[in-house]
Amino acid sequence: DTAVSQTPKYLVTQMGNDKSIKCEQNLGHDTMYWYKQDSKKFLKIMFSYNNKELIINETVPNRFSPKSPDKAHLNLHINSLELGDSAVYFCASSQDGPTGELFFGEGSRLTVL
Amino acid sequence: AQSVSQHNHHVILSEAASLELGCNYSYGGTVNLFWYVQYPGQHLQLLLKYFSGDPLVKGIKGFEAEFIKSKFSFNLRKPSVQWSDTAEYFCAVFDYKLSFGAGTTVTVRA
């Protein structure tokens, strides 16, 4: 019974393409996040949504557009993919009220060729 | 902006050895502190957390961490590691967002 699930787990695509990663959580949490983990394992927050509203947007290129149709889903769409977008993207969720205790999905490894 | 520094990039040790990973953060105000662990090929999991109270916190799998406010530190310890503790360990600090350190790769040799 996966708490935070992401699809797809692996994505290989060409430069210039547009791709999406989907995330769903069944924990009843109000806040969801996207993190990017680069090749050196460094984790950086990209976006945070609380109850479908954007609350954190960390200087991410506007080629990245998150969408939250409801509080259980947070999708990430990426336009015009670049080589530097290759990374593992982690979705996470947390209870309402900021604490920092996050539950992470298994990650989506994006490879841009 | 909050910054988190982890002292060790890669630690290699033998089973039954003791482990200590250093973590320092920059912000002087009230923060929540965490250690997350990422086992090979898996997602991040919470190892332990500190919000307030006893500065010595115990987590899962025999890990503990000590918050020393005067040193802005939150070091992780385990008295006796096992092969299964091989993983990436991340210190993280929450003020309005969760910021991670660069991570420490721990390799435990059988």
Side-chain angles (χ1 to χ4, degrees), chain A residues 35 37 40-43 45 56 58 90 98-102 104-106, chain B residues 32 34 36 38 43-44 46 49 51 88 90 94 96-98 100-102:
Chain A
Y35 277 82
Q37 186 175 47
K40 294 183 179 176
K41 301 272 179 118
F42 186 67
L43 278 154
I45 189 168
I56 293 176
E58 287 284 308
F90 284 99
T99 65
E101 185 171 351
L102 271 55
F104 284 85
E106 294 189 350
Chain B
N32 295 340
F34 302 84
Y36 282 84
Q38 186 176 24
H43 63 290
L44 283 97
L46 182 67
K49 62 187 178 187
F51 289 179
E88 194 80 20
F90 294 93
F94 183 87
Y96 73 97
K97 65 177 181 179
L98 191 64
F100 286 88

Side-chain angles (χ1 to χ4, degrees), chain A:
Chain A
D1 209 19
T2 306
V4 182
S5 59
Q6 302 177 223
T7 54
K9 288 189 172 33
Y10 299 95
L11 193 50
V12 181
T13 188
Q14 301 284 337
M15 271 198 319
N17 284 351
D18 304 337
K19 290 294 177 186
S20 292
I21 307 171
K22 295 185 176 181
C23 179
E24 176 182 4
Q25 55 95 3
N26 62 7
L27 297 166
H29 291 166
D30 289 319
T31 307
M32 295 186 71
Y33 310 80
W34 279 110
Y35 277 82
K36 179 180 180 181
Q37 186 175 47
D38 63 23
S39 58
K40 294 183 179 176
K41 301 272 179 118
F42 186 67
L43 278 154
K44 187 166 165 48
I45 189 168
M46 300 173 70
F47 301 104
S48 174
Y49 270 73
N50 180 269
N51 240 331
K52 302 192 297 175
E53 289 198 22
L54 181 67
I55 56 172
I56 293 176
N57 181 344
E58 287 284 308
T59 59
V60 177
N62 56 17
R63 297 184 294 104
F64 290 79
S65 51
K67 281 191 173 56
S68 182
D70 56 62
K71 72 174 193 177
H73 295 83
L74 181 61
N75 304 324
L76 184 65
H77 187 75
I78 316 170
N79 290 326
S80 304
L81 278 156
E82 300 177 357
L83 293 177
D85 297 332
S86 294
V88 181
Y89 292 85
F90 284 99
C91 178
S93 70
S94 67
Q95 281 281 19
D96 194 26
T99 65
E101 185 171 351
L102 271 55
F103 292 78
F104 284 85
E106 294 189 350
S108 297
R109 181 177 292 277
L110 171 65
T111 303
V112 182
L113 303 174

Side-chain angles (χ1 to χ4, degrees), chain B residues 1-21:
Chain B
Q2 183 66 259
S3 71
V4 184
S5 63
Q6 292 184 234
H7 306 165
N8 314 96
H9 180 62
H10 194 176
V11 172
I12 302 172
L13 58 168
S14 299
E15 277 194 312
S18 64
L19 172 70
E20 179 157 2
L21 302 181

Side-chain angles (χ1 to χ4, degrees), chain B residues 82-93:
Chain B
Q82 300 173 310
W83 177 81
S84 57
D85 292 323
T86 294
E88 194 80 20
Y89 291 81
F90 294 93
C91 182
V93 177

